[in-house]
Amino acid sequence: MTRLSQSFFVTQREAPNDAVALSHQLLLRGGYIRALGQTAGLYTYGPLLWRVIQKIERIIRAELDSIHAQECLLPQLHPAEIWKASGRWEVYRAERLMFTLKDGTGEQAREYGLGPTHEEAVCDFVLGSLTTYRQLPFTLYQIQTKFRNERRPRFGLMRGREFIMKDAYSFHANEESLKATYRDMYGVYTRIFERTGLNFRAVEADSGAIGGSGSHEFMALAEIGEDTILYCDEANYAANVEKARSLPPAAVPAANPGPREKVATPGLKTGQQQAERLGIDVTQIVKNILYLALKDGQEFPVLVSIRGDRQVNETKVKNQVQALDLRLPSETEVLALTGVPTGFLGPNALKTGVHLVDPTAAELRFFSTGCNEPDYHWTAANWHEDGLTLGRVVDVDMAQAGDRCHLLPTAFLKSAKGIELGHIFQLGTKYSQPMGVTFADETGVPQPVLMGCYGIGVSRLAAALVEQSHDADGIIWPVAIAPYHVHLVIPNLNDQDQQRFAQKVYRDLRDFGVEVLLDDRDERAGVKFKDADLIGLPYRLTVGRDLKAGFVEVRDRRTGKTEKAPVNEVVSYLVGLIREGGADTVPPLG
Ligand code: ATP
Ligand code: MG
């Protein structure tokens, strides 16, 4: 039994001002976490949080083991060579995502990185030992601390520089096998998040240049989430906004297009200003936006044409040109590349480079657009006239709430905020190819192995649960992953009957696998109750004055309802409640 009188247990009335997220505030106040050296993104997981984490890990292990994934542990200190082999050393260095270090000096110095993810490490592990298709498929996983030099560590455990992740990697001889494991993982993830008591949603995710339905994210629904989800319940469609498709509203047809001409629009740079000046609807405008894309260490211009009322989805653009990064050029760069200032670029602004045209723009007729001269726009222009060549027509539109669903045009997309908790991804040969991880197929020919990768943010999951489940008084843990099930309070330490009964009820509960935290501190009952609400165990059992009359008090943290239970029934009553909450599916921690 954990007795608070013998524990390091500190709670706080107030959270520091810089704790914005409620989960961050409550975890700090409840003594669950503490920033190391007051540094953002580095947290000590106190004893209470560590129990929560262990329970989440037990659920994850049980589910992964059920599909025969094998647990292992890869090193966290990675020699630079394995990252150079995959081609990601420079990428991670350029983005300053990986913490790197040097051992030794001069020629002898060796470079290392602290593992932000383990595709390279796991490939290195199987490299050389994987020889034949007969060894495939298999899945390896680990639960371990990851290091990422996040630019903006924030919201406590949500975005740390050091955090706990479960990462799994599967290896396959062919697509069907990869897809089968991917489907199994989808099921495993669904069960894991259901068992932890989360309100979550699986969404289609961006899978880079690979495309297709090769990737899903599992999102905890919460206002503070940094991701936007678009969904349509009628069509059972949900996607990260980075990936989402939609049917944009129809353009307002041009009433009387008039002749095509160049109209002076001095200083009118935005579509809205242009529409007002020309007396047209903003949906009759084609806007042209210049980007600089980075690929293989080189930047090149990409011009995107899209309808005036729509926004460009930069992730889609990046995937179309297979770029690592995309940025808006400076005004000087725009002038150097096109000869005209921003706002007056025409669809033909680039002599060389890529021109992408969103269907919303490609479909327009008699539209207004820049004519590549400062202070002038076309009216009633059409593609293929006056040098308005149509570039590559591809979807680069940012879907938004209110758009029609592309699967069911009578339904409309809604949006929600989500916290990404898990990500499953069909990698194919993205890492095995450069790293040379091959196997001999049935005809003896060496083939690069196909891979899938699957991550869960374990520490982030704990924070997401708090974000979803709390009230003004504190945290409300779901039974399955609460640090303990029952908060046992002895209001009067001098009452020997209370003491004796508390000991007995503790032993009885323990025999049923119920975990009890005993508040036997020399504090006022009011203080103990406040702390109990703050740390948020599912049930509070108070052995107080009514004991003489044969009753104790059981309080449900979630509903706030208090019941008087007869002393001889309280154990079976509590055991019943806790089993209902699914706690017996997680082996007790003691
Ligand atoms: P994000 O977009 O939130 O940065 P990511 O796409 O970089 O996440 P992955 O590389 O897929 O994340 O990592 C797997 C999981 O690890 C994520 O789904 C998330 O739950 C968790 N995770 C990622 N970065 C962090 C972080 N800085 N702190 C805590 N958990 C994280
Ligand atoms: Mg990230």
Side-chain angles (χ1 to χ4, degrees), residues 41 45 88 92 97 116-117 119 146-154 156-167 189 193 216-219 226-227 240 242 418-425 453-461:
Y45 307 142
R88 284 208 292 186
Y92 270 68
L97 251 177
T117 176
E119 285 82 3
K146 295 278 185 275
F147 299 89
R148 289 188 185 179
N149 193 359
E150 297 279 358
R151 256 164 255 186
R152 287 185 69 202
R154 59 188 185 141
L157 296 183
M158 296 274 190
R159 187 170 295 286
R161 288 202 161 122
E162 184 182 318
F163 59 96
I164 301 177
M165 194 202 287
K166 181 288 296 175
D167 44 331
Y189 272 48
F193 296 127
H216 284 86
E217 286 162 343
F218 288 77
M219 298 280 189
E226 295 177 291
D227 286 276
N240 190 315
E242 289 183 344
I419 301 165
E420 182 193 322
L421 294 179
H423 195 173
I424 58 176
F425 205 103
C453 74
Y454 319 88
I456 292 182
V458 176
S459 42
R460 183 183 282 186
L461 201 162

Side-chain angles (χ1 to χ4, degrees), residues 258-269:
R260 178 170 66 251
E261 54 186 1
K262 284 183 184 177
V263 181
T265 50
L268 303 186
K269 292 194 163 191

Side-chain angles (χ1 to χ4, degrees), residues 207-236:
S207 48
I210 296 172
S213 57
S215 172
H216 284 86
E217 286 162 343
F218 288 77
M219 298 280 189
L221 303 176
E223 258 322 296
I224 200 147
E226 295 177 291
D227 286 276
T228 301
I229 301 162
L230 291 175
Y231 64 95
C232 168
D233 286 330
E234 293 91 330
N236 203 10

Side-chain angles (χ1 to χ4, degrees), residues 336-516:
L337 285 161
T338 67
V340 277
T342 309
F344 300 98
L345 268 54
N348 50 352
L350 284 182
K351 310 245 157 359
T352 57
V354 184
H355 183 207
L356 303 179
V357 184
D358 187 74
T360 55
E363 284 161 5
L364 284 185
R365 300 192 59 215
F366 304 109
F367 53 84
S368 171
T369 193
C371 42
N372 245 15
E373 284 175 36
D375 298 336
Y376 279 94
H377 279 92
W378 283 115
T379 59
N382 282 302
W383 295 108
H384 311 296
E385 295 172 4
D386 287 299
L388 298 187
T389 44
L390 200 53
R392 181 143 54 96
V393 180
V394 285
D395 170 25
V396 286
D397 177 65
M398 179 76 90
Q400 57 188 59
D403 289 353
R404 286 169 301 143
C405 175
H406 73 289
L407 297 176
L408 185 68
T410 49
F412 296 90
L413 295 184
K414 296 198 184 85
S415 80
K417 288 285 179 191
I419 301 165
E420 182 193 322
L421 294 179
H423 195 173
I424 58 176
F425 205 103
Q426 296 174 37
L427 291 170
T429 60
K430 187 169 172 188
Y431 297 96
S432 55
Q433 181 96 48
M435 294 196 66
V437 188
T438 59
F439 66 96
D441 69 12
E442 284 160 57
T443 59
V445 176
Q447 303 283 356
V449 72
L450 296 172
M451 289 174 67
C453 74
Y454 319 88
I456 292 182
V458 176
S459 42
R460 183 183 282 186
L461 201 162
L465 272 162
V466 177
E467 202 61 49
Q468 286 186 345
S469 186
H470 63 261
D471 63 14
D473 298 319
I475 300 171
I476 306 173
W477 289 111
V479 172
I481 61 139
Y484 299 85
H485 305 125
V486 173
H487 200 128
L488 179 54
V489 178
I490 309 177
N492 180 1
L493 290 177
N494 299 323
D495 185 327
Q496 290 308 311
D497 287 343
Q498 289 186 10
Q499 286 274 16
R500 257 195 306 277
F501 186 78
Q503 293 296 337
K504 177 174 160 18
V505 89
Y506 157 71
R507 277 193 305 272
D508 292 349
L509 285 170
R510 185 196 52 193
D511 290 345
F512 285 100
V514 174
E515 301 159 3
V516 180

